Amino acid sequence: MHTELDASHHEPVAIVGIAALYPGVRGADAYWRHLTEPLPPPGAVAPSLADVEVDVAQFGIPPAQAGALTRMQLLMLEAARECLEDAKAGDRTLQAERTDVVAGVCAGLDRQYANALRVEGSRYARELERALTAPEFGGSARTAAQAADELRTALVRRLGASPHDRVGEMASTIPARIASAFKLRGRTLALESADATSFLALAHALDSLRGGLSEAVLVVTGQREEGPFLRAALAAKGLVADRTRPFAADGGGFALGEGVGALLLKRLSSAVRDGDRVYATVRGCAVHHEGRPGVFRYSTSVERRAGTARAALDACGASPESVGYVECGGYGVAHETCAELDALKAVYAGAGAGSVVVGSVRDRLGHTFANAGLASVTKAALALYHRRLPAGLAPAPEPGPPFRTLPEPRKWRQEAGAGPRRAAVSGASLTGTLCHLVLEEHDPDAAGPAAERPRTARVSVAPEPIAVVGYGGRFGDAPDADAFWAAMLTGEDRIGPLPESLLDRELYYEPGKLSLTRSYTDQGSPLEVPAAPPEGLRIPPRRWAVMDAAQRVALSVAGELMARRGPAAPALRGPGLVATGTNLSLSRERRAAAGLALGEVESAVGGLAALGRLDATETATLLDLVRERYAAGPAPRAPEDLDGSLAGGVAAVIANEYGLDAVPLGIEAACASSLAALDVAVGRLRSGSVDYALAGGVELPCNARDMVLCSALGLLSHGRITPFDTAADGFTPGDGCALFLLKRYADARRDGDAIHGLLCGIGASNDAKSLIAPDADGQVRAMRQAFGQAGFDPADVGYLEAHGTGTRVGDRVEIAAVARVYASPHRRRPLEIGSAKSFFGHTFAAAGAAGLLRALHALRTGVLPANAGLTTVSPELDLDRVPARVSTATGPWGSAPGRPRRAGVSSFGTGGINYHVLIEEHLDGPR
């Protein structure tokens, strides 16, 4: 069986559903009125989304989980519902197993901040207790302890606390919950790339649709002010202003806005076949990056901006003269504004004077950051659908020929024979990314061959394999990928008690007890965060210091990857991608946000009964003393402070410091994040959008917050992780990072790259049943989808790097799914099964990357690695069904001459997110 691939990667993609949730706006029609009618007087419309009511019950959310949900999750669920409702014409339904959900967010969410503050609050409570024992406050140890316990209880009450907090706070839970609510079973992931987030979400959707991996993609993006952090960090960069003036040459920044939007996308041929209403079609898309070392900033390169716009036009064969409207980024930042307009003038120089109308939705919404691109695309699509040109808010300075702004909306006239109306959308990110899309009206009566093509006329072929031409890794006490493999060969795990610097046992450790504020285990596999940048990179000490630890680790692993390639390796030229699986709210950001929210903790102190004997002056003195001792996370004060907190900044710092034209992207798919990043990279490579990609994952869960939150749900082992063992009772956290450099196979051969292995297939699904419990059906769909691309059978695979979380149910369900796919009477020898987690613990977003690194080493060396900690294989697994075995010792991996070794790698995440990758040994000579 082979995946059906579209014979053309340039089929138009139809926008068939729209949702718009903005202050005072609900739905596509209301959004269009908001864009075309005079604004109401100030104060008539709420400045935020706080007044949007969402009926939680309609989404089937269990009451026990409702309190752990982020507000953004509820808003995105509502946006998804409205978008799917908007797309309906009659009672048609989507092909559930081929409908993806992609969510885009930026910066932390409210529950993430609340959970971080609650855990940090225990540290504050201890300092309060110590301060109260001083003579000036009475010196009573009993009263001090009572006050500390009372504060911890008060914070749980104020901030909310639930065993489900670790699941509910995750960004990837949003698309997973949407998939569950609407029974959608395709790919599911969340992503972030600063204010290019929604552009990257749309680009990924186009790849999935045009590559034939999906029949429909629901894209949902949103931004709220979840707390003061984002505004403070943007202000430290000098980007925040009272209002946004999109075309002002002296603009001092933008007003930060709130908004949630959604688009449902299909290939045009599918939309026509299904009788969908088509708002507009996306014809061309280009996303490039200007990698410049140093502090993140908008690109001011006119040449690069113009090149991005031309690439989008060239992708669909459209001339600049055919575009009648350009929706600009228009962020109100002076240098960025001038560069954008100068670039557009260069591209559209051949158009007649005043023939192209320009505008920017930022003049009405402000800058909705992660949602900004989708807000712009939605505006352009509605303009094409209504055949009306939207107006800008007066007064607006004229941008100069060939452009003009409109003081009021006008009918969009088109001369006979001039072809369809077209609009372009321009955008940029403060990390250096540049985006340009070309949209076209859809006339059902004049649909071209693409729309009429009978049933992302397709040919059945195995896609070109993707070559792994570089790799690097850092896990636990293994500082590089070679040390990682050496640890595997010893058969001994790298798990032990966490140091006090990571887990303060006095505050956070209480063995044998489930708690909302403490962990019942102190075991983990932490890594040492690099003290200095990789050799050859000039990063100032302060900038290095304010980088999140995950950013520093990932940059160091990228340095290892680059060094491993050697000086003779070909340079990375042309467009690329850096996609890193990661938690979309980094620890540094959460700590800074908790510091900014210290006033809430101090407010709780003021109401403690144990301090009722203190007067106002004494209480103020006490608070000053505790604040000084507590040492809260530093507030953003310098331009680089935001950079060190962005999850997408993990990828951006790699792209920028190495000067790559590689778009940075942070991806979260829970524990499957690494393989989701790999999937996005493979999609971009196969679509021809990029020439190379760095993909992998990084996460450092060996910290008090993650230990406490995971313990509350009973996810952690009381001892240590033992996948597939009768004693398996949960996982142990581990820190880690692995990155892989990927190219199309033919390009790698042409460039003379060392090829370490070939990615032959990658499958993904969502089981859409439970956010917590594993499901064999979903895992089977992911595996079979991967084999649909690979060109070989399950019986040809000799080794499976399993997800292997070490939970009794999880291990049993995974092996049951494996048996349904891999069992075969033609198997020459038992399938070897193992898991890197038995050595370095569960590295969360980096777990799939750890598994791929281990499997890649096994292919290259012809050695099957052992599993650590295994005493007795659980009979519940019934491995004889495959047949399969789990080995406790390393051994040779034999293979027939001329037959490549092949391996599978699984990674399954909370929320029913399933990924499976198939890799193959590269043999010299033609394939």
Side-chain angles (χ1 to χ4, degrees):
M1 176 177 124
H2 297 294
T3 297
E4 289 186 335
L5 294 177
D6 198 324
S8 168
H9 281 292
H10 301 290
E11 179 178 356
V13 170
I15 298 173
V16 300
I18 290 176
L21 295 179
Y22 298 95
V25 173
R26 292 288 294 270
D29 291 341
Y31 186 54
W32 181 243
R33 288 195 299 272
H34 183 73
L35 297 173
T36 55
E37 295 178 356
L39 286 179
V45 177
S48 73
L49 296 173
D51 63 338
V52 177
E53 297 183 2
V54 180
D55 180 8
V56 178
Q58 69 178 317
F59 300 115
I61 298 172
Q65 297 179 15
L69 305 186
T70 63
R71 172 68 173 166
M72 182 61 76
Q73 184 172 150
L74 296 178
L75 292 171
M76 286 192 164
L77 276 164
E78 180 62 16
R81 184 193 67 78
E82 292 187 7
C83 186
L84 294 173
E85 284 291 323
D86 182 66
K88 283 185 178 179
D91 296 323
R92 292 188 310 280
T93 57
L94 295 169
Q95 295 184 35
E97 292 188 5
R98 291 172 56 78
T99 299
D100 298 353
V101 183
V102 180
V105 296
C106 185
L109 305 175
D110 54 358
R111 287 306 312 162
Q112 293 171 333
Y113 289 162
N115 294 336
L117 183 58
R118 175 165 53 82
V119 174
E120 282 280 299
S122 290
R123 192 163 61 86
Y124 184 97
R126 179 172 62 186
E127 296 305 328
L128 175 68
E129 181 177 0
R130 289 172 175 173
L132 281 170
T133 59
E136 60 264 38
F137 301 114
S140 168
R142 180 178 179 182
T143 300
Q146 180 183 348
D149 288 342
E150 192 179 347
L151 176 59
R152 293 187 183 97
T153 302
L155 290 178
V156 168
R157 184 174 60 252
R158 277 182 172 230
L159 301 172
S162 162
H164 296 275
D165 281 338
R166 183 63 176 90
V167 175
E169 72 166 21
M170 297 167 63
S172 58
T173 302
I174 297 173
R177 182 77 71 180
I178 292 171
S180 177
F182 300 104
K183 303 297 184 286
L184 307 176
R185 298 184 175 88
R187 283 162 156 76
T188 306
L189 56 89
L191 52 79
E192 187 260 291
S193 189
D195 33 356
T197 294
S198 49
F199 285 107
L200 270 294
L202 291 169
H204 172 61
L206 296 180
D207 286 344
S208 294
L209 290 165
R210 289 171 169 168
L213 297 175
S214 312
E215 278 295 311
V217 181
L218 177 63
V219 177
V220 191
T221 64
Q223 191 73 53
R224 289 182 69 232
E225 284 210 62
E226 308 282 3
F229 172 78
L230 182 59
R231 179 177 291 273
L234 288 168
K237 275 190 173 292
L239 296 176
V240 176
D242 293 334
R243 63 189 181 98
T244 307
R245 298 184 296 148
F247 303 112
D250 62 345
F254 49 74
L256 195 59
E258 294 193 348
V260 177
L263 297 177
L264 182 64
L265 307 173
K266 289 183 175 181
R267 288 182 296 274
L268 181 57
S269 57
S270 299
V272 170
R273 176 197 69 205
D274 296 340
D276 291 310
R277 170 188 54 196
V278 176
Y279 283 104
T281 62
V282 181
R283 297 299 312 274
C285 174
V287 186
H288 292 167
H289 187 76
E290 183 181 9
R292 293 184 295 173
V295 176
F296 295 168
R297 55 209 185 275
Y298 289 105
S299 170
T300 56
S301 170
V302 173
E303 180 182 3
R304 286 180 179 267
R305 286 174 174 269
T308 304
R310 291 191 179 100
L313 290 162
D314 291 344
C316 58
S319 68
E321 292 77 16
S322 68
V323 175
Y325 176 73
V326 178
E327 171 70 12
C328 299
Y331 301 145
V333 181
H335 296 303
E336 191 268 350
T337 296
C338 292
E340 180 179 34
L341 289 176
D342 287 346
L344 292 174
K345 288 174 185 176
V347 174
Y348 293 90
S355 64
V356 183
V357 174
V358 294
S360 173
V361 74
R362 249 60 68 195
D363 61 4
R364 292 174 184 263
L365 298 182
H367 189 12
T368 57
F369 223 68
N371 170 257
L374 192 139
S376 292
V377 170
T378 302
K379 177 183 174 182
L382 289 172
L384 289 165
Y385 180 71
H386 291 284
R387 297 181 177 179
R388 287 180 65 79
L389 291 164
L393 288 180
E398 285 297 328
F403 304 118
R404 61 177 172 141
T405 57
L406 293 180
E408 59 185 21
R410 293 185 186 177
K411 184 177 180 179
W412 191 337
R413 302 186 183 278
Q414 192 79 338
E415 296 182 6
R421 295 170 179 82
R422 289 188 177 127
V425 179
S426 173
S429 163
L430 59 81
T431 59
T433 297
L434 301 168
C435 321
H436 206 83
L437 278 76
V438 178
L439 278 65
E440 184 176 288
E441 70 175 331
H442 174 66
D443 184 351
D445 298 326
E452 298 169 357
R453 184 182 297 133
R455 183 165 184 161
T456 44
R458 292 185 195 138
V459 294
S460 181
V461 296
E464 180 184 14
I466 301 299
V468 179
V469 298
Y471 62 89
R474 193 182 189 101
F475 293 85
D477 63 354
D480 56 36
D482 291 340
F484 169 86
W485 181 239
M488 299 292 164
L489 300 180
T490 68
E492 298 179 359
D493 69 44
R494 297 303 198 266
I495 295 170
L498 295 179
E500 285 290 322
S501 60
L502 296 177
L503 184 72
D504 187 324
R505 286 167 176 74
E506 180 185 28
L507 288 180
Y508 299 118
Y509 179 48
E510 188 171 7
K513 181 180 177 181
L514 285 176
S515 167
L516 294 175
T517 57
R518 294 173 182 266
S519 170
Y520 54 74
T521 180
D522 65 348
Q523 299 292 297
S525 182
L527 61 70
E528 185 176 348
V529 178
E535 186 177 352
L537 297 185
R538 293 186 176 182
I539 299 178
R542 188 191 185 280
R543 184 160 174 264
W544 179 257
V546 301
M547 284 186 188
D548 186 87
Q551 293 178 332
R552 284 181 273 166
V553 169
L555 187 59
S556 295
V557 171
E560 177 200 344
L561 182 155
M562 297 296 188
R564 186 185 303 279
R565 298 187 73 220
L572 297 178
R573 303 187 189 280
L577 174 76
V578 181
T580 55
T582 180
N583 188 309
L584 291 192
S585 180
L586 300 181
S587 292
R588 182 173 183 83
E589 179 205 5
R590 295 195 199 197
R591 185 156 184 254
L596 290 170
L598 191 57
E600 188 164 356
V601 178
E602 294 177 337
S603 175
V605 172
L608 298 180
L611 303 184
R613 56 186 176 75
L614 299 182
D615 60 27
T617 300
E618 291 172 322
T619 299
T621 302
L622 174 66
L623 291 177
D624 287 342
L625 178 59
V626 177
R627 179 183 281 258
E628 180 181 346
R629 292 179 172 179
Y630 170 65
R637 294 187 179 89
E640 59 264 34
D641 287 343
L642 177 63
D643 306 357
S645 299
L646 286 174
V650 174
V653 75
I654 295 172
N656 289 355
E657 292 306 320
Y658 283 100
L660 304 177
D661 177 9
V663 175
L665 185 61
I667 294 175
E668 187 188 310
C671 308
S673 297
S674 294
L675 297 193
L678 202 76
D679 186 37
V680 172
V682 169
R684 298 251 81 196
L685 283 164
R686 286 179 171 162
S687 72
S689 301
V690 301
D691 293 331
Y692 62 90
L694 271 78
V698 59
E699 190 160 356
L700 312 180
C702 291
N703 61 74
R705 183 192 69 250
D706 282 316
M707 299 285 285
V708 168
L709 295 181
C710 289
S711 287
L713 196 54
L715 298 176
L716 302 182
S717 170
H718 289 265
R720 61 183 58 198
I721 185 171
T722 54
F724 314 118
D725 198 278
T726 54
D729 67 342
F731 61 79
T732 303
D735 296 342
C737 175
L739 296 173
F740 306 90
L741 179 60
L742 311 176
K743 286 186 178 182
R744 289 179 290 272
Y745 179 64
D747 291 351
R749 297 277 296 197
R750 177 200 65 201
D751 296 340
D753 287 294
I755 298 177
H756 307 293
L758 299 174
L759 303 180
C760 299
I762 182 163
S765 73
N766 188 284
D767 61 46
K769 288 187 178 179
S770 169
L771 264 67
I772 301 173
D775 177 74
D777 289 343
Q779 295 177 14
V780 165
R781 283 197 302 275
M783 293 178 193
R784 287 178 175 162
Q785 190 181 107
F787 277 106
Q789 303 169 22
F792 53 80
D793 296 325
D796 296 323
V797 174
Y799 175 68
L800 172 65
E801 175 65 23
H803 186 55
T805 55
T807 63
R808 183 175 175 181
V809 173
D811 289 351
R812 187 181 71 242
V813 170
E814 180 173 10
I815 298 304
V818 168
R820 287 169 57 183
V821 176
Y822 281 87
S824 171
H826 305 296
R827 180 168 292 283
R828 299 177 184 85
R829 56 176 64 89
L831 176 69
E832 295 284 347
I833 296 178
S835 174
K837 294 180 183 65
S838 65
F839 286 86
F840 289 102
H842 190 349
T843 52
F844 291 37
L852 179 58
L853 183 60
R854 175 167 141 125
L856 195 67
H857 273 299
L859 286 180
R860 296 178 62 248
T861 62
V863 174
L864 290 166
N867 290 277
L870 186 67
T871 302
T872 305
V873 175
S874 172
E876 293 181 344
L877 303 181
D878 193 11
L879 294 174
D880 290 339
R881 287 177 294 175
V882 181
R885 65 187 176 205
V886 182
S887 297
T888 57
T890 60
W893 185 353
S895 65
R899 181 183 292 273
R901 297 177 178 89
R902 294 176 173 126
V905 180
S906 288
S907 198
F908 308 133
T910 301
I913 302 173
N914 309 299
Y915 278 84
H916 192 71
V917 170
L918 295 170
I919 62 174
E920 179 177 282
E921 178 185 15
H922 178 248
L923 301 178
D924 290 336
R927 285 175 46 79

